[in-house]
Amino acid sequence: MAKKSDEKFIIKRSGYPSKGEIVIGTVTRVLDFGAFVSLDEYENREGLVHISEVAPGWIKDIRDHVKKGQKVVCKVLDTNPKRGHIDLSIKDVNERQRREKVQQWKSEQRAFKWLEIAGEKAGVSKKELFEVGKKLLKEYDTIYGVFEDVFYEGHKAILDIAGEKLAKAIEEIAKENIKPHKVEIRGIFQLKSNAPDGIERIKSALLEINNLSLDGVNIKIDYVGAPKYRIIVESEDYKTAEKALKKAVDKVLKKIKKLGGEGTFEKEV
């Protein structure tokens, strides 16, 4: 439900999480047999992490691993809506999943704040904003996802749900805060030169990349270990990145051949 004016504006999902879903929550109670976790993303939902699901191996004292008020990332093992049960596991979440979920939740909290500001700009009441937010959350899964979509597609993407004033305010804030996604492609050059100044010739071939005119593209060369050199191309879309990579590869291989050396290139998958 909507929060009071002195608290953070947060919109939570209705219903229950899905089996296998990664969720974030706050430990509310720690008992000898397990810990109860209030799910931060769901309305009035609390799950149980049995002591056997807290950490790998035998646990002598559960309080050595979890404490009341602690934020935890869990995997949903099972749900029973009829009985109101949600079984969770902390140990089944790997480090990458934990980092990604924490980052996702931080982004979502920022998006709640952006939505609140958009509501103020558009003159929308907190109650109305909450209702619109619930509809957007159902459509996009995350409020941050709403701002991302509006950044790329414009306010018309949410016009039917948010109305013109709020949709335009969301677009304005999205343009101010969302950074375009970057795609990255990589590959390996193998460059050789038997000349006395072979290293300098290889460097000269790689420096050909600096002569390319590539707007919105960032290219970096990393030394892997003779004779291998990694090229990393970063852009906002794959088509542009692929085009830039081809130009760079052609330039480098043509130059090293001209300098009496040889070279090959293989794209990393």
Side-chain angles (χ1 to χ4, degrees):
M1 58 187 291
K3 300 293 183 180
K4 296 178 182 179
S5 60
D6 61 338
E7 295 180 332
K8 289 182 179 179
F9 179 79
I10 294 177
I11 300 168
K12 296 190 177 185
R13 295 180 174 89
S14 303
Y16 282 76
S18 303
K19 184 177 179 179
E21 184 176 336
I22 303 298
V23 295
I24 190 166
T26 306
V27 177
T28 55
R29 289 174 289 161
V30 181
L31 305 175
D32 290 341
F33 64 86
F36 287 90
V37 177
S38 175
L39 303 186
D40 292 352
E41 301 157 285
Y42 287 85
E43 290 179 346
N44 304 314
R45 295 292 173 237
E46 187 176 67
L48 171 66
V49 181
H50 188 267
I51 187 170
S52 63
E53 294 296 333
V54 170
W58 182 72
I59 296 174
K60 182 178 180 181
D61 188 347
I62 188 174
R63 292 167 184 81
D64 291 336
H65 299 271
V66 288
K67 292 178 173 54
K68 183 178 179 180
Q70 180 181 342
K71 287 286 180 189
V72 290
V73 176
C74 306
K75 181 179 181 180
V76 178
L77 298 178
D78 201 8
T79 63
N80 188 330
K82 287 185 179 180
R83 301 182 67 180
H85 291 180
I86 303 172
D87 296 325
L88 304 170
S89 174
I90 294 174
K91 75 175 185 181
D92 281 0
V93 179
N94 62 42
E95 185 59 26
R96 178 186 60 80
Q97 290 172 321
R98 190 194 69 79
R99 286 198 309 269
E100 287 179 354
K101 190 62 187 181
V102 169
Q103 185 55 53
Q104 182 194 65
W105 182 236
K106 286 180 179 179
S107 296
E108 192 69 347
Q109 289 180 302
R110 289 199 303 273
F112 290 143
K113 185 61 181 177
W114 296 342
L115 185 60
E116 187 176 18
I117 294 170
E120 292 172 358
K121 285 177 177 284
V124 175
S125 69
K126 285 287 181 68
K127 183 179 179 181
E128 184 182 352
L129 186 65
F130 180 76
E131 293 304 321
V132 170
K134 288 284 283 185
K135 292 177 182 177
L136 290 170
L137 190 59
K138 187 175 181 180
E139 183 73 19
Y140 286 88
D141 194 48
T142 66
I143 296 300
Y144 189 84
V146 174
F147 282 88
E148 280 191 313
D149 192 54
V150 171
F151 175 83
Y152 289 105
E153 303 296 332
H155 74 278
K156 290 183 179 179
I158 58 169
L159 199 57
D160 292 344
I161 299 176
E164 189 169 4
K165 282 188 177 180
L166 181 58
K168 284 185 174 179
I170 289 173
E171 180 179 18
E172 182 183 336
I173 292 170
K175 297 295 185 186
E176 292 172 356
N177 293 280
I178 296 293
K179 294 181 180 179
H181 285 301
K182 294 286 187 181
V183 298
E184 186 179 275
I185 53 177
R186 299 177 171 217
I188 297 291
F189 283 113
Q190 290 203 47
L191 305 176
K192 299 177 182 178
S193 174
N194 293 323
D197 60 345
I199 295 297
E200 293 304 316
R201 296 190 186 200
I202 290 172
K203 286 182 180 178
S204 178
L206 291 171
L207 286 172
E208 282 293 296
I209 291 171
N210 294 338
N211 298 326
L212 293 172
S213 179
L214 301 167
D215 292 334
V217 176
N218 181 49
I219 299 180
K220 185 172 75 169
I221 298 291
D222 286 339
Y223 176 66
V224 179
K228 296 182 178 181
Y229 301 83
R230 176 177 286 109
I231 180 172
I232 303 168
V233 179
E234 188 181 73
S235 183
E236 291 182 17
D237 62 88
Y238 280 105
K239 187 176 179 180
T240 303
E242 291 282 4
K243 189 176 179 180
L245 178 64
K246 187 179 184 307
K247 284 184 177 181
V249 171
D250 289 347
K251 277 272 190 184
V252 172
L253 295 183
K254 185 177 179 180
K255 184 68 173 182
I256 193 67
K257 186 176 180 180
K258 185 179 179 181
L259 294 172
E262 60 184 49
T264 60
F265 173 78
E266 185 176 345
K267 189 176 174 182
E268 288 186 321
V269 179

